[in-house]
Amino acid sequence: MALDLQKLAISEIRARLLKDDGPVSPQLLNALKRDARRGVRDLYTLAKRRADRAREERARLDAMLNFERVLWKSGVKYIAGVDEVGVGPLAGPVVAAAVVFAPDTSIDGVDDSKRLDPERRRELADRIRDSALGIGIGAATVEEIDRLNVYQAGLLAMRRAVEALPLPPQHVLVDARTIPGVAAPQNPFTKGDGINFSIAAASIVAKTHRDRLMEECDPQYPEYGFARHKGYSTPEHQAAIRRYGPCPLHRVSYPFIRELRGQYSPLFYELQALLARARTAKQLDAVERRFKTCSEELGEHEARKLKLVLSRRWKAL
């Protein structure tokens, strides 16, 4: 945009600003600021906000890329960020992704996939796939989750994702754990999908891939609504399990599945109903005393669940 704004009508300046969604240059900001017209002053305020947001995004990405840049400068070229998704759902596989970028790659908007809405995740997943040197996808099946437990299945999925890369990584950055069976040096980051660029990119790719898998399963099991909740424990999903029982996609080793199917003890459901009806501290205290007197009659998962609900109910009073 020409900096001689005096020759442009306010509507023309506004149209050009709206058309150009890129960063606002300091020269343009200064020109807008110097223009005495009230309408242009309003546009300056909008442009300043956009410039501030762009500067904040650059600072955020710089922080997220800090570890990669240290490795790149040391001569390590192929760095894989690895993350998995799908630990929490009641159904479907655990999916992991490994992503390798060329040195100095940066993509605006990359963040923990949980902080992004579905449309933004899909958009960023496409940009990541276009920019990455290599992407590997790994999964652990429902059968493996039930046999191994979901934590071990997540590690298996991440190892498979690294092995699926088209080029061997020289270094691996992982969200909160170390992957067994991977020869390259590794660095685990607590909540890495929110603080590390490569891990965040992997979380986006893994999430969009798993969502697509669950959507593809929906026509086979339409009564469960997998396309909507992706296997997570929503009220709709819980109601479907109570009504229809589990399908082959459900993780039947999960205690909550047994609870929803009515396979816990009658005492558990009795105490659960009493807890649901308790509205006062006196009523809650009575339920807690009954729970303590008969807790040995409950299974381990039953007692743990009721203790958790009791704690939350006390905090809510």
Side-chain angles (χ1 to χ4, degrees):
M1 182 185 293
L3 296 182
D4 188 3
L5 301 183
Q6 296 295 332
K7 296 180 180 180
L8 297 176
I10 295 174
S11 59
E12 292 178 289
I13 300 172
R14 181 184 294 107
R16 295 193 185 191
L17 275 175
L18 293 175
K19 182 180 179 181
D20 181 11
D21 59 358
V24 181
S25 68
Q27 294 84 357
L28 175 57
L29 276 178
N30 287 333
L32 290 169
K33 188 175 183 179
R34 289 194 301 269
D35 198 303
R37 289 173 289 179
R38 180 175 178 178
V40 177
R41 299 285 293 175
D42 292 339
L43 291 176
Y44 165 76
T45 301
L46 294 175
K48 179 71 163 54
R49 289 174 185 166
R50 196 165 86 192
D52 289 344
R53 286 195 298 269
R55 184 170 59 253
E56 290 169 2
E57 176 65 5
R58 286 195 301 272
R60 187 186 70 84
L61 285 175
D62 283 345
M64 293 187 78
L65 280 159
N66 179 65
F67 205 84
E68 285 91 332
R69 285 172 175 163
V70 170
L71 290 171
W72 285 330
K73 287 180 181 178
S74 72
V76 178
K77 185 177 181 181
Y78 302 129
I79 304 165
V82 185
D83 196 16
E84 49 73 29
V85 298
V87 169
L90 303 176
V94 174
V95 173
V99 181
V100 177
F101 292 106
D104 300 319
T105 299
S106 178
I107 302 172
D108 288 351
V110 166
D111 201 351
D112 178 358
S113 63
K114 296 184 290 296
R115 297 175 184 165
L116 305 168
D117 61 53
E119 182 177 356
R120 183 63 170 152
R121 277 198 300 265
R122 288 190 293 268
E123 175 190 331
L124 284 167
D126 289 341
R127 293 179 61 191
I128 291 165
R129 290 180 180 279
D130 289 341
S131 302
L133 288 176
I135 290 178
I137 300 291
T141 65
V142 171
E143 291 76 17
E144 288 170 325
I145 293 169
D146 285 338
R147 176 166 52 86
L148 299 173
N149 76 47
V150 72
Y151 181 84
Q152 294 300 324
L155 291 174
L156 177 61
M158 288 194 287
R159 192 194 77 205
R160 288 170 173 169
V162 174
E163 291 172 347
L165 284 167
L167 67 170
Q170 297 168 287
H171 205 101
V172 176
L173 309 179
V174 195
D175 186 20
R177 64 193 78 181
T178 300
I179 309 170
V182 171
Q186 300 182 51
N187 282 93
F189 290 83
T190 301
K191 298 183 178 179
D193 48 5
I195 63 173
N196 179 268
F197 179 80
S198 298
I199 297 174
S203 79
I204 292 169
V205 173
K207 173 64 175 168
T208 52
H209 184 87
R210 186 182 186 280
D211 283 356
R212 187 163 54 251
L213 290 178
M214 297 306 293
E215 289 163 3
E216 291 171 356
C217 291
D218 190 73
Q220 190 175 0
Y221 306 103
E223 63 271 28
Y224 295 97
F226 289 131
R228 292 185 293 277
H229 54 65
K230 311 302 187 290
Y232 283 86
S233 183
T234 63
E236 174 198 6
H237 191 189
Q238 293 176 31
I241 295 171
R242 290 190 185 99
R243 182 174 181 181
Y244 302 107
C247 75
L249 285 180
H250 284 102
R251 304 170 182 179
V252 293
S253 63
Y254 276 29
F256 191 46
I257 295 286
R258 298 200 296 274
E259 178 187 336
L260 291 172
R261 296 180 70 188
Q263 293 179 339
Y264 275 11
S265 67
L267 177 59
F268 170 84
Y269 295 108
E270 176 193 339
L271 291 169
Q272 188 182 58
L274 289 173
L275 271 172
R277 293 195 296 269
R279 294 290 183 269
T280 65
K282 183 178 179 180
Q283 292 171 331
L284 203 55
D285 182 64
V287 178
E288 185 169 35
R289 282 187 277 109
R290 173 144 171 70
F291 167 69
K292 288 179 178 178
T293 60
C294 60
S295 59
E296 293 184 358
E297 301 174 39
L298 295 163
E300 178 186 351
H301 291 293
E302 296 174 333
R304 187 184 305 161
K305 176 68 177 286
L306 290 170
K307 188 174 181 180
L308 178 62
V309 175
L310 264 168
S311 174
R312 289 175 175 171
R313 291 298 307 278
W314 277 118
K315 289 178 181 178
L317 282 179

